[in-house]
Structure formats: structure tokens, C-alpha cells
Amino acid sequence: MLLKDKVAVVTGAASGIGLATANCFAQEGAYVVLADIDELAGRAAVESIQKAGGEALFVKTDVSKESEVEALIATAERDFGGLDTIFNNAGIEQPVTPSTEVSEDLFDSIIGVNLKGTFFGCKHAIRAFKRRGGGTIVNNSSVSAFANVGGNISYAASKGAVMSLTRVLAIEYSKDNIRVNAICPGVIDTAMNQRNADLASNRAEVEERWKTITPLGRMGTPEEVAQTVLYLASDMSSFTTGVGLLIDGGRVAT
Ligand code: NAI
């Protein structure tokens, strides 16, 4: 077990990549704190982990609010005795919109969850890691930090900034036994993509387009992403910090 008796926080854990990672971490022996705004699905996920013999609890958290993230980390420390790893995964998409039509409110909301939420998670996790003697952070960036996917300027900007923030923190805390890395998924089959209006109206055609631009010829699964998060969260990657690991089926290589 790669995370035996480690305490892990996963944000956005009620669905998709976060849910698959929470399940994976629990199977690997971690005590998992699942955080999400979706209380119903979050509690159901905890129940399912516990039924399978794992240890988990749910904390309703809006990652765009610093006080809630601070309380989340405090709960992990109080209930499980400390914090060893955090997966800052909660994120929202920007509906496909020409950049000149993106309002200030829309831009702020995407940056608030994807960038500020990641910053708050890192900030309070690092404080807890210092009390523990070290830890690992995995941030969920995106292929859109490296390649133009079009029509989502605030999303792309937030994910590019997550990569910059990851590098800054990796260097700043490298002497504190803290590693900070990111994952950069391509198209993964989750609710986020199912909500895409374009996809909803014409799923077959859009999926075909994604497959064409992805050398491996398919969407990735949340479970495949979870395996990469596990690698970066665990000692398997003990000499790796400050990187963004692409899980994109070869997309950026084209
Ligand atoms: P999803 O929509 O299935 O899951 C996102 C989860 O985050 C949901 O449970 C949602 O309730 C939660 N959430 C939303 N706002 C929140 C907030 N303010 N506080 C706490 N939780 C909140 O989406 P998916 O695909 O699993 O996305 C997870 C992460 O992966 C996101 O950061 C996304 O940008 C990133 N990503 C996804 C890709 C994809 O193709 N699905 C590709 C690249 C990155």
C-alpha cells in the first residue's frame, strides 16, 4: 500500500477525477478527507469507501473561501492526527465563449475556484506539513496550461497560473521536505465534459473530434488520472518536485 496510514485531503472529491482519487487513496491505505460543495454526493462517496473497509470523512467546503479551506485542514489534523498529502482538484469549467464576451463575474468565478482555491489549499496544507515534518501536494492543472483548447480564456488562464504557483511553492518549500507537483490532464470522461453544451448537443461528433486530436484515440478515464496523482502523492516520486505531468494521450506532443 503506497499511502498506508497517511492522511490525505482531496478537494472536489464528490465527482470525476477527485472521486476516483479518493477511492484510490483509500484503497492504498490512506485516511481520506473528502471535500466538496456537493454534500449529498460527498457523503455517499464516504459511505462507499467505508463499506469497502476504508477510512474517510466528508467536510463540506467551498475552496474559493479561505476560511472554509482552513477549517478543512484543521479537521484533517484534529480527526486523523495530521496531514501528509493534499490533492487540490476542485475546479469548474468556463462555458465555451468568445473571450470578448467573458464578463468580469464569470472570469472572477473561474479564477476564484480554480486558482484561489488551489492557493488556499496549498497555503494551509503547507502550514500543516510544517507541523508534521513534510508532505506532498498535487495540484490539478490541465493540458490547457500548455496547449490552446479555445473558447475558455478564464479556464486556461487559471490552469496556467496553477502551474506557475506549483513551481514557486516547490522551490520555496524544497528544504522543508515538501514536494509540490501538478497533473495536466487532457480530455477525461467526467461530468465536466458531459456538461459541455457543445458535447450535450452532439456527443458523437465532439467525441470523434477529441479522439482525432488525441494520438491514443480516446478520452482518458478518471481512474487513469488517479494513478498519476497517487504516483506524485506517494514516495514513488520522491525525487520529483515542481513538475506538471501530462496525462493527455499524447495531445501536447502533436
Ligand atoms: P467534475 O465536475 O466531475 O468534478 C468537479 C468537482 O468539484 C465536483 O464534485 C464539484 O462539486 C466540485 N467543486 C466545484 N466547485 C467547487 C468548490 N468551489 N469547492 C469545492 N468543490 C467544488 O469535474 P472533473 O473533470 O473531475 O474535474 C476535476 C478537476 O480536473 C478540475 O480542476 C478540472 O479543471 C480538472 N481537469 C479536468 C479535465 C477533464 O477533461 N475532465 C481535463 C483537465 C483538467
Side-chain angles (χ1 to χ4, degrees):
M1 286 192 174
L2 290 173
L3 295 176
K4 180 122 185 68
D5 295 334
K6 300 286 189 192
V7 180
V9 164
V10 176
T11 70
S15 170
I17 295 168
L19 177 60
T21 304
N23 286 330
C24 168
F25 280 10
Q27 282 158 16
E28 292 293 331
Y31 297 86
V32 189
V33 182
L34 290 84
D36 207 289
I37 45 171
D38 185 342
E39 189 162 8
L40 206 64
R43 292 202 183 280
V46 164
E47 218 170 279
S48 146
I49 288 173
Q50 288 168 340
K51 266 193 194 143
E55 295 274 357
L57 62 86
F58 176 75
V59 182
K60 186 173 185 202
T61 312
D62 178 346
V63 298
S64 68
K65 301 200 167 89
E66 182 166 15
S67 58
E68 295 193 19
V69 176
E70 190 171 9
L72 164 69
I73 303 298
T75 303
E77 289 190 289
R78 190 192 60 228
D79 288 18
F80 288 143
L83 181 68
D84 298 292
T85 189
I86 185 167
F87 179 34
N88 290 305
N89 163 74
I92 51 174
E93 71 278 19
Q94 183 207 291
V96 174
T97 316
S99 298
T100 50
E101 302 303 317
V102 171
S103 67
E104 182 176 359
D105 281 352
L106 177 59
F107 198 88
D108 281 348
S109 69
I110 307 294
I111 295 292
V113 178
N114 296 5
L115 177 56
K116 276 171 63 182
T118 300
F119 168 60
F120 297 148
C122 290
K123 174 177 169 180
H124 293 284
I126 287 170
R127 288 180 174 182
F129 292 163
K130 286 188 153 193
R131 293 188 279 271
R132 187 84 149 169
T136 57
I137 292 176
V138 184
N139 294 325
N140 201 339
S141 176
S142 166
V143 77
S144 55
F146 297 100
N148 177 28
V149 293
N152 63 0
I153 190 163
S154 59
Y155 183 86
S158 72
K159 295 299 185 177
V162 165
M163 266 321 305
S164 300
L165 173 155
T166 298
R167 285 188 284 262
V168 167
L169 294 174
I171 292 163
E172 194 173 345
Y173 295 98
S174 55
K175 301 291 182 290
D176 296 293
N177 193 30
I178 294 169
R179 295 187 296 106
V180 189
N181 291 295
I183 56 160
C184 303
V187 182
I188 311 300
D189 197 2
T190 68
M192 180 174 282
N193 282 316
Q194 285 147 21
R195 273 192 302 270
N196 181 315
D198 208 15
L199 176 59
S201 60
N202 197 351
R203 187 171 178 102
E205 191 186 305
V206 176
E207 277 192 4
E208 207 41 53
R209 180 155 32 95
W210 281 340
K211 285 179 189 166
T212 327
I213 58 170
T214 305
L216 289 184
R218 63 176 174 86
M219 287 193 257
T221 68
E223 290 73 23
E224 287 175 305
V225 180
Q227 290 297 316
T228 310
V229 182
L230 173 64
Y231 168 73
L232 290 173
S234 72
D235 288 343
M236 291 273 286
S237 60
S238 51
F239 198 51
T240 300
T241 198
V243 308
L245 207 47
L246 286 159
I247 318 163
D248 68 342
R251 169 90 188 275
V252 170
T254 59

